[in-house]
Amino acid sequence: AQTVTQSQPEMSVQEAETVTLSCTYDTSESDYYLFWYKQPPSRQMILVIRQEAYKQQNATENRFSVNFQKAAKSFSLKISDSQLGDAAMYFCAYGSNYQLIWGAGTKLIIKP
Amino acid sequence: EAQVTQNPRYLITVTGKKLTVTCSQNMNHEYMSWYRQDPGLGLRQIYYSMNVEVTDKGDVPEGYKVSRKEKRNFPLILESPSPNQTSLYFCASSKHDSALYNEQFFGPGTRLTVL
């Protein structure tokens, strides 16, 4: 069965600095998708970034980028120029066969 | 405004009292799904539906029922709630019959407490 592991329950970063959130997954499939979702205190789930497994190029969305290492089954999220509004829970998710498997989440704290 | 709505947003109930959490989307999405979120466990899928009258179990379907009679609605039914179903519930939808290739849009969540 597929699993998603986020080994950092909590991370903190100084405002304007860069932080990387880790995610590893386990699968025997070759075709799948990976996602990072953000959940601020409002509880709303917001898609941050998406990566197709067959694409070697790492996805980027403004200040957010991923480091996708398919062989290592690693999918980390880098947030550059951290802002106070980035404070949230971040969830990594693996998608295949009409299901999303989620990690336990990483709480990101931004220090002003 | 494109959105997924859930009702109620908060609910406190007692063991055994049947309840329904409604979910509705106005984006004409084929795919809809229910998740529960518990601390330290992330989100776990309860049921999903790829289209009208097509539903399937997720990872934690025990104690829940769903129906998809209309494309826009996907209610979650707890026939006999128990305290271990106390959780935060999310409904989500996607515009393709596979949620994997498109962004899932989430509702605001329903905080359920079963006493």
Side-chain angles (χ1 to χ4, degrees), chain A residues 32-98:
Chain A
Y32 51 88
Y33 288 72
L34 297 163
F35 305 84
W36 278 98
Y37 276 85
K38 169 185 176 180
Q39 186 180 42
S42 66
R43 301 188 326 205
Q44 186 68 39
M45 296 294 288
I46 303 164
L47 178 66
V48 175
I49 201 164
R50 174 179 60 199
Q51 173 81 42
E52 291 104 338
Y54 63 85
K55 287 188 177 179
Q56 293 190 346
Q57 185 172 7
N58 289 327
T60 62
E61 288 286 344
N62 301 314
R63 297 182 295 107
F64 299 87
S65 61
V66 299
N67 183 5
F68 174 47
Q69 303 286 332
K70 190 171 184 179
K73 298 178 183 174
S74 171
F75 182 60
S76 61
L77 174 70
K78 186 172 84 170
I79 306 174
S80 304
D81 186 24
S82 298
Q83 300 175 359
L84 293 177
D86 294 334
M89 283 291 290
Y90 285 82
F91 292 95
C92 176
Y94 164 99
S96 181
N97 295 326
Y98 304 102

Side-chain angles (χ1 to χ4, degrees), chain B residues 3-111:
Chain B
Q3 60 182 349
V4 178
T5 57
Q6 293 179 228
N7 282 291
R9 296 286 308 278
Y10 301 88
L11 179 61
I12 301 174
T13 189
V14 296
T15 299
K17 186 177 181 181
K18 181 180 178 179
L19 67 92
T20 298
V21 184
T22 64
C23 174
S24 183
Q25 50 91 7
N26 62 1
M27 296 168 279
N28 201 37
H29 285 173
E30 293 86 1
Y31 183 98
M32 297 185 75
S33 181
W34 275 104
Y35 298 91
R36 61 177 289 173
Q37 182 180 1
D38 302 290
L41 296 177
L43 278 74
R44 293 178 292 169
Q45 192 171 44
I46 302 170
Y47 272 94
Y48 62 97
S49 169
M50 289 181 281
N51 216 323
V52 176
E53 302 294 358
V54 180
T55 63
D56 208 348
K57 296 177 181 178
D59 294 321
V60 289
E62 295 77 19
Y64 304 94
K65 286 176 57 177
V66 293
S67 68
R68 187 90 182 274
K69 293 183 171 58
E70 304 168 286
K71 198 172 189 179
R72 64 183 294 131
N73 297 323
F74 190 44
L76 179 69
I77 303 157
L78 284 71
E79 294 269 3
S80 182
S82 62
N84 64 11
Q85 293 179 297
T86 293
S87 188
L88 177 60
Y89 291 86
F90 285 100
C91 179
S93 72
S94 175
K95 68 178 179 181
H96 191 273
D97 62 3
S98 167
L100 314 172
Y101 312 113
N102 294 277
E103 175 181 357
Q104 285 199 38
F105 293 86
F106 282 80
T110 295
R111 173 71 70 183

